[in-house]
Amino acid sequence: MHLIRGLQDKLARISMLALALFAGLLVFLMAFGLFLRSRPILDSIPLMELLLSSSWHPLKGEFGLFPFLTGTVWVTGVSIVIAVPFSLLCAMYLAEYAPVSIREWVKPLVDLLAGIPSVVYGICGVLIIIPLIKDHLAPLFGSFSTGYSVLAGGVVLAVMVFPIIIHVCLEVFASVPYEVREASLALGATRWQTTKKVVLRKAMPGILAAFVLGLSRAFGETMAVLMVAGNVARVPRSLLDPAYPLPALIANNYGEMMSVPLYDSALLLASLLLLVVVLFFNVLSRLVLIRIERGIQ
Amino acid sequence: MKLRTVEEKLFQLLMIAATILIVTSLVVILVTVLVKGLPALRLSMITQIPKGGFYLGKEGGILNAILGSFYLAGGATILAILISLPIVIYFNVYASKGSVFVNLCRFSLDVLWGVPSIVFGAFGFTIMLFFGLRASLLGGIIAVALLILPVMSRAMDEVVKMVPRDLLNASYSLGATRLETSVKVVVRQALPGILTAVLIAFGRGIGDAASVIFTAGFTDAIPTSLMRPAATLPLAIFFQLGTPFPEVQERAYASALVLTIMILVISIVSRILTRSFTKHVIK
């Protein structure tokens, strides 16, 4: 009996360790799997040409990813420019100003915003943002737009990124010791001066990490962008031009990719690129956040 | 003196405005889905499969997507529990405290959390190519299980971490092995938190479209086996919104409403779970 229990324990230990190992290595496994599948295209076309060429004609064997890369950068850039000020202001309000009752009400709502599926964001983008840009914003600047544009993608992404930035910022603000604020207030600083010169300065690395996490989320977000960005394989020149971000390209062409040579390889290379960029951003910001967390303990 | 009071007031106003804007965007989303979805949500909508093809046929409903989503997210959640529960127990019961390996695993899971779902879809697709699978329920379950693995295991980890060390020591001193302690003490003590983690992961899984677009495909039929393709609510929204027929678009709006209600219910239930169960947990 004793022997069996001991054996069970040993077996459980080994299988649990194996699973933990699997989870720990999953990132590398993903990168490796995608790399293997994108080898065929990397062998036949140099990487630099793939990244910098603008000609996307899969049937002719031309796979220039440049329009999609710039599309992603445009859309992500717009979303971050919109999301950063609003979410920082909101986080500052919730952490430093709001009475507890308001904070306890708003926080779950922000979490709920994070839980809404991206296709639902997409629907709302199509129903609200697109007509707004088409009928009101574009005529205002004397230009024509179908509404499906960089701006629409950026706005929808910004709303999706709000909860992530706010959530991380709130944790970072909470890690700033209360005594620091009291010291500043005791010196006669106003609340805003304390927030601006003491709390913000102390929390800066964490806030930047929050922005980068938001950025990487926007970078890889697929469905909502696919529904509102227009998907024209050209380098966008203005906010009202359509864009075709990388994730949208991958999701949109799954149907035909197996019937054209190298097409599947090109799309999996695009996924690998996404993975590498997002990993870089995530590792960077997580390291900063871990440092902050250690600082409290 | 005057200037800094003005600045104080100005920024306070800006902060409140930003907060209102963010809350409003949530309200706008919910209202839009409700206004568009409610007129489309008839009984036939949730009890029938689409007739004459989901893209063109004007009759029928979204039962295929509702059931498909449940099968897929349910299967993925079970698979993810089978992987993450042992991992979390290993982290907190078996491994020595401050183990470098465990910290690296946690870090890796955190990073994995940020990986876009389309990449999980693409990776799931490479696995399917490797095993010679076609777009199927099984493929979708694997991709979504991997997608929700980091969410689930990190959320479980946070609650299992909170189980008091003394409780474990008490169990050991009675002669229980670590496995027995894990199953009979740790899991039971952390059960409400574990259930919340499972719910959150289920919600993430049922709402995700990008990871299933390659792997599960889309179909009018209700899947009868793991090897058949399966329809999902998010993809039902995506595909059916793109048609020129208002009757078909109605199905997209109805799907959006059903999906949003599910997410709302999951979020509320997990909140209640956290609140009411933590009362009885030994602290």
Side-chain angles (χ1 to χ4, degrees):
Chain A
M1 185 63 191
H2 184 75
L3 215 91
I4 294 174
R5 285 172 62 213
L7 208 67
Q8 273 178 343
D9 196 53
K10 280 243 164 57
L11 262 172
R13 180 193 196 105
I14 290 169
S15 46
M16 285 173 181
L17 179 67
L19 282 173
L21 207 63
F22 165 73
L25 293 178
L26 188 55
V27 175
F28 301 102
L29 215 65
M30 287 174 77
F32 184 68
L34 291 175
F35 176 69
L36 272 188
R37 284 284 160 190
S38 42
R39 274 290 288 283
I41 193 155
L42 286 172
D43 283 346
S44 54
I45 307 171
L47 183 64
M48 273 304 137
E49 195 185 321
L50 285 169
L51 294 182
L52 298 177
S53 155
S54 294
S55 103
W56 176 260
H57 300 290
L59 286 174
K60 285 193 253 165
E62 292 170 359
F63 297 97
L65 292 172
F66 192 66
F68 310 103
L69 290 171
T70 47
T72 305
V73 171
W74 268 84
V75 174
T76 312
V78 171
S79 76
I80 275 299
V81 167
I82 300 171
V84 158
F86 285 111
S87 33
L88 185 57
L89 281 168
C90 177
M92 284 196 291
Y93 178 70
L94 293 180
E96 307 293 322
Y97 281 83
V100 179
S101 58
I102 292 189
R103 193 185 318 163
E104 291 310 303
W105 263 101
V106 174
K107 258 172 141 184
L109 292 182
V110 172
D111 286 345
L112 185 59
L113 198 60
I116 290 184
S118 55
V119 265
V120 175
Y121 279 98
I123 276 206
C124 295
V126 171
L127 293 176
I128 299 168
I129 311 282
I130 301 289
L132 208 66
I133 292 177
K134 184 183 171 201
D135 299 333
H136 300 284
L137 211 62
L140 204 66
F141 292 100
S143 61
F144 171 77
S145 167
T146 54
Y148 295 89
S149 57
V150 172
L151 185 62
V155 171
V156 171
L157 275 184
V159 181
M160 301 187 71
V161 167
F162 282 153
I164 295 166
I165 301 185
I166 293 173
H167 192 90
V168 180
C169 275
L170 283 178
E171 272 172 26
V172 174
F173 282 139
S175 75
V176 176
Y178 206 76
E179 292 78 6
V180 187
R181 296 185 181 93
E182 280 175 343
S184 161
L185 291 170
L187 286 172
T190 62
R191 213 148 174 203
W192 169 245
Q193 284 174 323
T194 307
T195 308
K196 180 174 65 174
K197 300 219 164 124
V198 180
V199 180
L200 268 192
R201 195 166 293 177
K202 195 120 177 60
M204 199 37 92
I207 295 173
L208 289 180
F211 292 164
V212 174
L213 276 185
L215 184 86
S216 77
R217 170 82 201 267
F219 197 83
E221 177 47 51
T222 310
M223 298 314 281
V225 176
L226 175 62
M227 289 163 86
V228 299
N231 304 337
V232 177
R234 234 181 318 136
V235 178
R237 303 251 170 256
S238 84
L239 283 181
L240 296 175
D241 273 357
Y244 202 162
L246 213 50
L249 170 78
I250 304 168
N252 229 358
N253 293 295
Y254 70 100
E256 51 215 88
M257 70 181 185
M258 294 313 282
S259 45
V260 180
L262 285 183
Y263 203 165
D264 59 325
S265 190
L267 291 184
L268 292 175
L269 175 68
S271 323
L272 181 63
L273 283 177
L274 268 184
L275 178 67
V276 169
V277 172
V278 168
L279 279 185
F280 175 72
F281 284 149
N282 266 275
V283 168
L284 211 68
S285 49
R286 289 286 171 195
L287 284 176
V288 172
L289 290 174
I290 283 179
R291 269 222 166 133
I292 293 171
E293 208 177 308
R294 289 237 176 94
I296 320 174
Q297 285 159 0
Chain B
M1 192 64 191
K2 192 89 191 332
L3 193 68
R4 51 180 225 165
T5 3
V6 173
E7 200 186 328
E8 170 86 36
K9 284 275 169 266
L10 177 73
F11 271 91
Q12 216 166 328
L13 217 69
L14 281 177
M15 286 180 206
I16 293 176
T19 309
I20 290 175
L21 179 105
I22 287 167
V23 174
T24 314
S25 55
L26 175 69
V27 174
V28 166
I29 290 171
L30 294 181
V31 169
T32 310
V33 171
L34 204 65
V35 166
K36 280 287 180 179
L38 219 46
L41 200 65
R42 295 170 301 267
L43 189 65
S44 63
M45 189 60 94
I46 51 173
T47 53
Q48 290 179 8
I49 60 172
K51 296 201 175 104
F54 67 87
Y55 195 77
L56 298 170
K58 295 178 183 169
E59 300 286 314
I62 52 170
L63 185 67
N64 60 333
I66 296 177
L67 282 183
S69 266
F70 265 109
Y71 290 163
L72 204 144
T77 307
I78 291 170
L79 187 56
I81 294 174
L82 290 179
I83 304 176
S84 32
L85 203 55
I87 294 178
V88 169
I89 288 175
Y90 183 80
F91 283 1
N92 293 290
V93 180
Y94 280 84
S96 52
K97 215 169 158 46
S99 141
V100 178
F101 170 68
V102 168
N103 282 337
L104 278 178
C105 276
R106 282 190 175 126
F107 186 75
S108 167
L109 283 170
D110 276 344
V111 169
L112 209 57
W113 195 331
V115 171
S117 57
I118 185 83
V119 176
F120 281 96
F123 177 62
F125 183 70
T126 62
I127 296 180
M128 286 162 56
L129 284 181
F130 186 76
F131 288 108
L133 285 170
R134 289 179 162 277
S136 60
L137 189 57
L138 181 66
I141 285 177
I142 293 173
V144 174
L146 294 181
L147 172 78
I148 61 180
L149 175 68
V151 184
M152 191 188 272
S153 50
R154 287 300 275 134
M156 280 186 187
D157 193 22
E158 292 302 319
V159 282
V160 172
K161 224 191 257 176
M162 293 298 156
V163 175
R165 210 70 213 170
D166 298 342
L167 216 56
L168 268 74
N169 290 337
S171 167
Y172 295 149
S173 65
L174 290 173
T177 63
R178 282 199 257 217
L179 180 63
E180 288 159 349
T181 309
S182 308
V183 176
K184 294 187 181 156
V185 179
V186 176
V187 169
R188 207 168 278 187
Q189 171 79 2
L191 196 59
I194 290 175
L195 285 181
T196 314
V198 169
L199 270 181
I200 292 172
F202 181 80
R204 168 112 200 245
I206 207 165
D208 197 78
S211 60
V212 294
I213 199 165
F214 295 119
T215 50
F218 199 85
T219 167
D220 285 347
I222 295 164
T224 48
S225 91
L226 279 174
M227 291 304 157
R228 286 294 186 77
T232 43
L233 281 169
L235 287 182
I237 301 172
F238 175 64
F239 288 132
Q240 300 184 124
L241 193 68
T243 68
F245 308 111
E247 292 89 345
V248 179
Q249 287 183 352
E250 281 212 328
R251 285 210 292 266
Y253 298 138
S255 311
L257 183 58
V258 171
L259 185 59
T260 310
I261 290 173
M262 281 181 192
I263 298 291
L264 278 177
V265 169
I266 287 170
S267 137
I268 291 167
V269 170
S270 62
R271 233 155 242 292
I272 294 173
L273 257 180
T274 331
R275 255 187 224 161
S276 65
F277 276 83
T278 38
K279 274 192 291 195
H280 304 293
V281 168
I282 306 164
K283 279 187 180 146

